[in-house]
Structures are given as C-alpha cells and as structure tokens.
C-alpha cells in the first residue's frame, strides 16, 4: 500500500510540475546577484507564472530546516507578515500566511497544502497547492484564490541548487503594474532572503 501511495504521489506531482512548467515559454526577467528570475504566460490567466533559481552555499539539510521552520520562514518570504502551521500529517503540512500589500491593494492571506517528496539522489521537492476554502476568510484580508507551484532543492556537494516556481491567482483586484512587479520581486527577494539565512555563519 505504501509503494502504491508513493507512486500515486509521484504521478500526481509530475502532472502538477508539467502543468506549471510551460518550459518553452519562460523568458528571463531578471538575472542579478546570482539569482535568475523567469516568467511565463499561463493560459486563461491574467497573471504570469514565475520561476527563480539560485545556488546556496549551504548543505541541503540546512535549507530544508529553514523551510520547515514555518513561523521563522516568514522572515525571509517576500512581504510575509505572519505565518503559522495549521496541521501536519507525515510529509504533508497545511500553512496559513498573511502578506503585506502596497497601497491601494488590500492585504492578502493564503492557505497552502505542502507535500514533500525526496528522490533517491537526495533531491527534495515541495509541491505547493492553494486550499483557499480550508478556513473561513479573515476580516481585512483578501484570500489568494489559487496557488500552484513547487520548491525543488538539489544537492550539489556542499551547495544546494534551489528552484522556486509558482503561479498565483491573487483574488480581488490587483493593478497590472503591482502584479507585474510582484512576479519578479516575490521570487527574487524570497530566494535572496533564504540564501542569506542559510549562508549566515
């Protein structure tokens, strides 16, 4: 039964990665400070998917531990105001996050279902799936309507290659100028913050 569940999870994860990827459509939007950000159009959406890639001079275990500190991770996630763990079941967690937003955009909150899988080569993938109906909406926040994406950590000796790829439907009304800035700033600042934490002596 365990092996069947694992196969089903890998098949499901592959489908999600293929859906979010649109690999041939990615266009580099920013390549600075060792962090490359690429964007891709997503069919039927007004919002672009983003992908950020960097190499962190720290072992995978350290990067993994920083991600698993749910409340502490808010310190390096772009515009994160607060974050907490709602539930954990084995390699699955459910998290709740509140985000700051620039005026005149209403602050957002998001509920994610995160599933972690590890490959034989030590690589680790965290599938991110928005579950907006998991809790009632909070006053003063617009619930992010949809999140699809993943984190992928690949060990490279003493370093870790990190890929962070997401497509979001932010819910409510977001001016295009703000949305276009977010899809570059969110992965760039998040990866920069994670890297700084991981490489701190």
């Amino acid at each position: 039964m365990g092996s069947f569940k694992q196969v089903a999870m890998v098949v499901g994860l592959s489908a999600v990665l293929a859906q979010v990827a649109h690999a041939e459509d990615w266009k580099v939007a920013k390549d600075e400070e060792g962090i490359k950000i690429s964007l891709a159009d997503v069919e039927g959406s007004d919002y672009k998917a983003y992908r950020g890639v960097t190499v962190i001079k720290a072992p995978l275990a350290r990067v993994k531990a920083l991600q698993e500190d749910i409340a502490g991770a808010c310190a390096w996630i772009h515009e994160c105001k607060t974050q907490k763990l709602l539930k954990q079941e084995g390699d699955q967690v459910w998290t709740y996050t509140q985000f700051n937003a620039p005026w005149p955009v209403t602050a957002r909150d998001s509920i994610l279902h995160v599933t972690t899988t590890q490959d034989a080569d030590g690589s680790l993938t965290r599938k991110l799936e928005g579950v907006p109906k998991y809790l009632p909406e909070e006053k003063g926040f617009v619930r992010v309507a949809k999140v699809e994406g993943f984190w992928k950590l690949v060990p490279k000796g003493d370093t870790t290659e990190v890929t962070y790829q997401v497509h979001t439907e932010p819910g409510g009304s977001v001016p295009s100028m703000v949305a276009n800035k977010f899809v570059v700033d969110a992965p760039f600042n998040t990866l920069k913050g994670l890297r700084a934490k991981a490489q701190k002596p």
Side-chain angles (χ1 to χ4, degrees):
M1 185 65 187
S3 60
F4 175 77
K5 182 184 172 189
Q6 199 170 23
V7 168
M9 193 179 290
V10 169
V11 169
L13 180 61
S14 300
V16 168
L17 301 191
Q19 188 179 356
V20 180
H22 307 295
E24 70 280 2
D25 297 332
W26 292 100
K27 293 181 176 62
V28 176
K30 185 171 186 171
D31 191 353
E32 294 176 15
E33 301 179 51
I35 301 172
K36 183 184 283 189
I37 307 301
S38 303
L39 304 178
D41 292 326
V42 175
E43 191 175 347
S45 176
D46 294 331
Y47 302 97
K48 293 180 183 292
Y50 58 76
R51 179 173 66 196
V53 181
T54 194
V55 173
I56 295 178
K57 294 173 184 172
L60 186 146
R62 177 156 174 76
V63 180
K64 177 175 180 275
L66 286 168
Q67 290 191 336
E68 289 173 352
D69 176 8
I70 305 296
C74 198
W76 50 263
I77 293 172
H78 178 67
E79 293 294 6
C80 181
K81 182 181 180 185
T82 183
Q83 182 166 263
K84 64 182 178 181
L85 176 67
L86 297 175
K87 181 182 175 184
Q88 181 160 9
E89 282 183 2
D91 55 12
Q92 301 180 72
V93 297
W94 286 258
T95 64
Y96 173 74
T97 312
Q98 293 181 343
F99 296 95
N100 300 310
W103 186 91
V105 179
T106 305
R108 273 4 187 217
D109 67 359
S110 173
I111 302 172
L112 289 185
H113 174 206
V114 184
T115 305
T116 301
T117 54
Q118 193 139 14
D119 295 332
D121 66 355
S123 298
L124 183 139
T125 303
R126 299 191 195 280
K127 173 190 158 191
L128 311 175
E129 178 192 4
V131 282
K133 304 294 187 187
Y134 189 86
L135 288 176
E137 294 190 11
E138 292 273 346
K139 189 176 180 182
F141 290 87
V142 172
R143 181 68 43 86
V144 174
K146 186 177 181 182
V147 179
E148 281 183 352
F150 64 90
W151 283 93
K152 187 165 180 68
L153 311 182
V154 181
K156 303 276 186 180
D158 293 335
T159 68
T160 306
E161 182 185 77
V162 180
T163 302
Y164 175 43
Q165 183 170 311
V166 177
H167 174 244
T168 298
E169 293 287 344
S173 174
V174 179
S176 59
M177 188 173 76
V178 174
N180 291 337
K181 189 172 189 303
F182 174 83
V183 293
V184 175
D185 289 351
F188 186 84
N189 292 335
T190 297
L191 286 170
K192 188 175 177 180
L194 175 59
R195 186 178 66 185
K197 275 274 189 191
Q199 294 181 177
K200 198 172 181 181

